[in-house]
Amino acid sequence: SGCVGSSDLSASVSVPVIDLGLLPSSKDEQGKLKLALCSGGCFQAIGHGISNSFLNKVRGVAEQFSQLLQEEKQKYSRAANQVEGYGYDLVVSEKQWYVICSDLTLSRRTVSYELNSCREVLHEYSIKLKQLVDLLFKAMAKSLALEENSFSDQFGDNPVMHVRFNFYPPCTRPDKVLGLKRHSDRSWITVLLQDEQVEGLQFVKDEKWITVPVIPHVLVVKLGDQMQIMSNGIFKSPVHRVVTNTDKLRISVAMFNEVEPEKEIRPVEGLIDENRPRLYRNVKIYASFNYECFQKGKVSLEEVKFHA
Ligand code: OGA
Ligand code: NI
């Protein structure tokens, strides 16, 4: 059933733009970061130091995968209840491909010769993004007057990074399809490389959907639920969705960072006081819990909240 009424699609409004190159030294930029994360929970990152040509390579390997023959893609199909592999998401009816990067090597499967370049490019991309998120979580902790490692102490020795290629085929009646239905990410942070031309990602702002504009050479950073929990609700995990359009395929590459699955996470002590009581209980294996809630139509952040 449709979810896109023309009335709820406001014109593209910009999401804050933050220069990561300035973050370590500029108080202004640190202030902007804090404001962005406390209000919308997302921003467009510039100054990230990853070249345009490399970002195009990342898009290129996603495109290359989308162009493989169906039989070839099926070789990587996702098994029931698994996150890794190629598949159609039954709920949202698009094709998606997940690759788990464990200890920064891609995939536990053997990939065909054609996909070797995909493996190499994603491996390099994951190393670059690791540096980017390391810088960010330190800046986030500092912006709340916490020790630099207050958040990262909770990640465990083997935090998980996984990548998903999202393919949104053109659709003659975009008003009749869900696209990627509304959700928040279960990660602690997601870095999204949007399609170079085609918009589609939307966030809720003041009860309206706003479209994230496509800006060349930018990475969209959004916080996920794990960060909202660790920050005791100060930082927001934004609700977002993706709509399709009539004539163009849209490809995006999302990189999700999650804490080590078995590691228990909790609100950082320094963010709990009389004025801001503890909002969330300790949580373990949040990823699967979030998935179960999503399937039952429940909001997992609400389920782990203390209710007075
Ligand atoms: C996601 C997501 C956004 C996009 O994969 O969780 O929100 O633009 N993707 O594809
Ligand atoms: Ni998402």
Side-chain angles (χ1 to χ4, degrees), residues 94 96 98 164-168 180-181 183-187 190 192-195 198-203 212 220 222 240-243 250-256:
E94 294 110 20
Q96 303 182 324
Y98 295 79
R164 184 199 288 163
F165 296 163
N166 290 306
F167 305 110
Y168 305 91
L180 181 53
K181 76 172 185 176
H183 66 282
S184 57
D185 292 346
R186 67 192 200 185
S187 57
T190 305
L192 181 84
L193 179 61
Q194 289 215 82
D195 193 285
V198 189
E199 293 176 342
L201 173 63
Q202 300 185 327
F203 288 103
V212 181
V220 179
K222 52 191 152 105
H240 54 282
R241 70 177 185 184
V242 183
V243 295
R250 177 174 183 273
I251 297 183
S252 70
V253 181
M255 190 67 100
F256 303 91

Side-chain angles (χ1 to χ4, degrees), residues 138-205:
K138 286 190 180 136
M140 287 186 214
K142 265 167 72 182
S143 79
L144 297 177
L146 297 169
E147 292 286 321
E148 265 186 0
N149 295 338
S150 303
F151 295 120
S152 56
D153 278 352
Q154 296 200 37
F155 297 165
D157 294 332
N158 293 303
V160 177
M161 196 189 247
H162 69 258
V163 64
R164 184 199 288 163
F165 296 163
N166 290 306
F167 305 110
Y168 305 91
C171 172
T172 48
R173 291 294 307 273
D175 56 322
K176 292 282 180 202
V177 299
L178 278 176
L180 181 53
K181 76 172 185 176
R182 58 178 296 153
H183 66 282
S184 57
D185 292 346
R186 67 192 200 185
S187 57
W188 69 267
I189 201 165
T190 305
V191 181
L192 181 84
L193 179 61
Q194 289 215 82
D195 193 285
E196 223 182 346
Q197 287 161 2
V198 189
E199 293 176 342
L201 173 63
Q202 300 185 327
F203 288 103
V204 178
K205 195 167 190 180

Side-chain angles (χ1 to χ4, degrees), residues 83-85 98-103 105-108 160-163 186:
V83 284
E84 182 188 337
Y98 295 79
V99 187
I100 301 282
C101 317
S102 52
D103 61 17
T105 56
L106 273 183
S107 179
R108 292 167 228 134
V160 177
M161 196 189 247
H162 69 258
V163 64
R186 67 192 200 185

